Amino acid sequence: MLRSRGLRLTAPRQLVLEAVYRLRHATPDQIHAEVAERAAGINITTVYRTLELLEELELITHAHLSHGAPTYHAVDEHQHAHLVCRGCGSVQELPSPVLDGLAGELLDGRGFRLDIGHVALFGLCGECGTTRGEPC
């Protein structure tokens, strides 16, 4: 993909992409920490620039799963939404077919194309809901 756009697969680009795949859902700081364990000379600015490039190439995408930095994850054939627990902060993947009805309704009724990969639903996971006496 990089070569077809006239770009090289540099060591930092490869390390950042591998970290995104390994961590599954991670902020730029988490990715930087992972990359720094393997190559101490890569700074946070390089990580941000690399994330932007990889997203432009549609190899990764991001979602806003909290009030902080975006969370990056790999783009694959299984697009998904995110279930974010307000109790423990866990993130679970929700397969896109679960939202197909909503996506279809939005498209038909409003001409709106839902970007499922950016969808985040907030609530309490089963464990946190049970410990707080609240159903999920």
Side-chain angles (χ1 to χ4, degrees):
M1 174 87 55
L2 288 165
R3 287 187 191 116
S4 70
R5 303 260 315 253
L7 302 169
R8 294 181 315 129
L9 178 59
T10 63
R13 289 173 181 166
Q14 183 170 352
L15 288 169
V16 169
L17 185 59
E18 288 173 355
V20 170
Y21 273 80
R22 205 170 22 260
L23 297 172
R24 300 187 45 81
H25 294 93
T27 65
D29 286 336
Q30 292 168 325
I31 294 165
H32 179 251
E34 179 80 8
V35 168
E37 288 181 14
R38 298 177 188 330
I42 298 175
N43 63 39
I44 190 71
T45 303
T46 300
V47 170
Y48 272 101
R49 287 184 187 145
T50 303
L51 290 170
E52 287 177 20
L53 173 65
L54 295 174
E55 191 162 24
E56 284 175 26
L57 295 171
E58 299 180 352
L59 296 173
I60 64 171
T61 189
H62 76 277
H64 294 275
L65 305 182
S66 69
H67 289 66
T71 300
Y72 289 85
H73 57 91
V75 171
D76 61 15
E77 67 277 1
H78 306 292
Q79 193 177 32
H80 61 272
H82 305 88
L83 300 177
V84 182
C85 179
R86 291 190 189 273
C88 65
S90 68
V91 177
Q92 298 176 34
E93 295 179 2
L94 180 67
S96 63
V98 174
L99 297 177
D100 283 350
L102 174 62
E105 188 175 316
L106 291 172
L107 183 60
D108 294 343
R110 300 174 185 243
F112 185 84
R113 295 186 189 283
L114 181 63
D115 182 355
I116 291 175
H118 281 99
V119 172
L121 302 170
F122 294 82
L124 292 174
C125 69
E127 190 170 319
C128 288
T130 302
T131 59
R132 294 174 184 219
E134 301 172 20
C136 255

